């Protein structure tokens, strides 16, 4: 049984970027409740060396001075975006998928038509982003 894992890239940071397209390709971090520590990083923030879980007060000054952007967590938004992603998967894979986390799901590829082109589908999804 071939399976696929869907994993949204830097999910919380990507959700914030949806409403701030000017931050495309800019470093973004999302902070935990009460802005205690970093719980999500865009790839640009990862490239700056920002570690997962680092206390915000330790990096705040240098991160912002280097052009980083920061968001307090918005779990209502992330839950809504997750539901939208999972709804798309449900439409495509009916019951042959399993939600694994807020931004991950397993897909059973055996349920696809033999002529379904996964490569083209992947390119389509990437272009839509
Ligand atoms: Mg992810």
């Amino acid at each position: 049984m071939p399976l696929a894992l869907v994993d949204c890239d830097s999910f919380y940071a990507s959700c914030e970027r949806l409403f701030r397209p000017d931050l495309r390709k800019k470093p973004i971090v999302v902070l935990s409740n009460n802005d205690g520590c970093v719980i999500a990083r865009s790839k640009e923030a990862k490239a700056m060396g920002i570690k997962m879980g680092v206390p915000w007060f330790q990096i705040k000054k240098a991160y912002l001075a280097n052009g980083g952007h920061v968001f307090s967590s918005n779990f209502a938004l992330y839950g809504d975006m997750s539901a939208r992603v999972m709804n798309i998967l449900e439409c495509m894979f009916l019951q042959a998928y399993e939600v694994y986390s807020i931004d991950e799901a397993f897909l059973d590829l055996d349920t696809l038509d033999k002529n379904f082109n996964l490569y083209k589908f992947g390119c389509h999804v990437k272009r839509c982003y």
Side-chain angles (χ1 to χ4, degrees), residues 1-6 86 88-99 105-113:
M1 171 194 303
L3 297 174
L5 173 64
V6 174
M86 300 310 166
I88 291 170
L89 296 177
E90 184 177 14
C91 289
M92 291 192 59
F93 292 89
L94 299 175
Q95 297 306 309
Y97 79 106
E98 182 75 28
V99 176
F106 289 103
L107 309 177
D108 179 356
L109 302 181
D110 274 343
T111 62
L112 295 173
D113 184 271

Side-chain angles (χ1 to χ4, degrees), residues 7-11 103-104:
D7 182 357
C8 301
D9 190 35
S10 304
F11 187 62
D103 74 328
E104 298 171 300

Side-chain angles (χ1 to χ4, degrees), residues 4 23 26 30 41 60 65 78-79:
L23 298 183
K26 302 274 175 67
V30 176
R41 305 157 295 156
K60 179 179 180 179
Y78 312 146

